[in-house]
Amino acid sequence: MSEVLKNPVSLRNRVYGTYLIQLITAIIVGIYTRVLYSNHSLMTRFIHDQFAKDYLEELLSPYGEVQAPRRVAGEARQIDVWFAPAPQSAGAPEVLGLLGRFAATPCLFEPFRNPATSQEICDCLLKMLEVRGEYQREANRNNTSIQEAALPRLWILTPTASEALVSEFRAIIDKSWLPGIYFMANPLRTAIAVIHQLPRTPETLWVRVLGKGSVQKQAIDELEALPVDSPFRWNALRLLKNLQKNLGITQNVDQEDRELFMRLAPLYDQDIERATREGRELGIQQERRTIIENLLRVRFGELDEQLSAIIDRLLALPAEEFAPILLQLSSLSREELLARFA
């Protein structure tokens, strides 16, 4: 009979020790798994948060001062995006639609990738009240009073929000604004913009880009369909492409982010290809212009107004006619050239 069987206490201790080791191992694996999940969640949230800050800064900077982020007094807190319209700016930048209306006055933006929780909204309100305190202290130093309308407004941008959450903050719809925007009591100067409740119209496009899932994908489709020379289109696509690259180097992204990654993959590259092609064509045109100008200078000396005027008409010739004309320039008289192309 083995030593273990002869000694039941030893057997019990060994079994208990094995169980204890397995239990400790399971706990460590569980903690490690939660840490990995937490780190992944924080990483993807940071990527989307940074995109939202860069996106708002890019769109609003032509119209005033943007700080993203902006430090506030008190504990180490930062406003995601703070905006103050330039003094010379006449009203809201209409090209930005609803976002421009948000930015018509000094404001704070707190965009959320995932639905904002009650606690997160409270944190936003705390930042807003600290900013209000800064304004009050400045007024006290200058021995002046604060006009309520001069205080900045806080815009909390969240993809979705339950009716219970909105009711919890006594936020209500203002009929002079679009559906999906809920205003808290006037002294709080705060509104919750529920992106997925906004009408899917061109006016809301620049806000809906910050949504999630199908709402964001539709906004990207609309953004891509804008005319190539549309204001901010190129910059927005560039930022979306950066978002796609950052998602690409993040491990274990969830299904929603994988779908977003695939949707963003062809963006911007198509624009780069188009711009390269247009640039190449522009380069060819510029090269042709230089050749014509040099030939005319050699033939007639300095280019006067009449000779300069025919250059664009020469450039408009199809390729099969352009080359023969170049050969004739050295033999045509000024009168013949002007009679033909003036």
Side-chain angles (χ1 to χ4, degrees):
M1 186 178 291
S2 68
E3 185 66 27
V4 172
L5 294 177
K6 290 179 182 179
N7 188 349
V9 175
S10 175
L11 175 60
R12 185 173 65 249
N13 289 344
R14 289 193 180 189
V15 172
Y16 178 75
T18 301
Y19 170 75
L20 186 61
I21 291 173
Q22 291 174 341
L23 178 61
I24 293 173
T25 301
I27 292 172
I28 292 174
V29 170
I31 293 173
Y32 182 66
T33 301
R34 285 195 297 272
V35 169
L36 282 179
Y37 178 81
S38 176
N39 287 342
H40 156 68
S41 178
L42 288 173
M43 177 59 71
T44 54
R45 188 176 71 180
F46 170 78
I47 289 172
H48 287 289
D49 286 353
Q50 190 60 50
F51 164 72
K53 293 175 186 178
D54 293 342
Y55 175 81
L56 291 171
E57 182 176 9
E58 188 74 38
L59 296 185
L60 296 175
S61 56
Y63 303 101
E65 180 185 359
V66 182
Q67 294 181 32
R70 178 184 186 269
R71 180 80 178 270
V72 294
E75 297 182 18
R77 292 189 181 89
Q78 289 184 332
I79 298 163
D80 281 350
V81 178
W82 179 85
F83 176 73
Q88 67 274 16
S89 179
E94 293 182 2
V95 69
L96 294 178
L98 179 62
L99 180 60
R101 193 175 175 189
F102 288 165
T105 59
C107 57
L108 289 61
F109 288 100
E110 291 287 338
F112 288 89
R113 171 63 178 174
N114 295 313
T117 65
S118 176
Q119 182 58 53
E120 287 171 330
I121 292 176
C122 287
D123 290 341
C124 293
L125 288 171
L126 184 56
K127 296 179 190 178
M128 178 61 185
L129 292 174
E130 287 175 341
V131 170
R132 188 185 183 104
E134 291 179 4
Y135 275 69
Q136 185 62 60
R137 288 189 291 274
E138 179 69 21
N140 292 341
R141 284 193 293 268
N142 297 328
N143 197 26
T144 58
S145 59
I146 300 178
Q147 296 296 322
E148 196 72 21
L151 290 169
R153 185 178 289 280
L154 168 62
W155 299 101
I156 298 173
L157 310 180
T158 178
T160 61
S162 67
E163 184 177 341
L165 179 72
V166 173
S167 298
E168 184 178 348
F169 290 94
R170 302 294 189 268
I172 59 174
I173 292 284
D174 183 333
K175 292 183 179 179
S176 64
W177 286 78
L178 293 175
I181 304 173
Y182 299 86
F183 290 84
M184 298 185 193
N186 287 337
L188 294 177
R189 304 278 300 164
T190 297
I192 303 172
V194 185
I195 297 173
H196 291 196
Q197 294 182 19
L198 296 174
R200 299 192 181 188
T201 62
E203 182 182 4
T204 65
L205 170 60
W206 300 104
V207 178
R208 287 185 289 114
V209 169
L210 297 175
K212 286 188 72 175
S214 61
V215 172
Q216 186 179 42
K217 289 176 185 175
Q218 179 178 334
I220 293 171
D221 291 342
E222 294 174 25
L223 179 63
E224 192 176 20
L226 290 175
V228 176
D229 58 350
S230 178
F232 301 111
R233 177 184 183 274
W234 176 273
N235 292 342
L237 291 177
R238 174 175 55 80
L239 292 172
L240 284 166
K241 190 62 178 180
N242 288 343
L243 172 62
Q244 190 253 353
K245 289 178 181 177
N246 289 331
L247 289 174
I249 62 177
T250 304
Q251 296 181 350
N252 302 321
V253 296
D254 59 25
Q255 180 62 30
E256 187 173 64
D257 279 337
R258 280 197 294 272
E259 292 176 359
L260 178 60
F261 176 86
M262 296 303 296
R263 174 61 189 87
L264 293 176
L267 283 185
Y268 193 62
D269 292 338
Q270 297 171 350
D271 275 43
I272 290 178
E273 181 182 351
R274 185 187 302 113
T276 302
R277 183 172 62 252
E278 292 174 353
R280 189 161 47 243
E281 293 172 354
L282 183 61
I284 293 173
Q285 285 291 90
Q286 185 58 47
E287 184 179 0
R288 286 183 174 182
R289 178 179 292 276
T290 302
I291 291 173
I292 293 173
E293 288 176 349
N294 289 338
L295 286 174
L296 291 176
R297 284 193 181 95
V298 170
R299 180 80 173 89
F300 303 110
E302 289 298 319
L303 296 180
D304 57 23
E305 186 176 344
Q306 286 183 314
L307 290 174
S308 297
I310 69 171
I311 293 177
D312 287 335
R313 298 193 179 186
L314 290 171
L315 290 173
L317 293 173
E320 61 272 15
E321 296 181 25
F322 182 75
I325 285 295
L326 289 184
L327 297 176
Q328 298 174 29
L329 282 181
S330 59
S331 59
L332 288 174
S333 67
R334 177 188 174 92
E335 290 72 21
E336 290 172 330
L337 193 61
L338 293 177
R340 188 168 177 179
F341 294 103

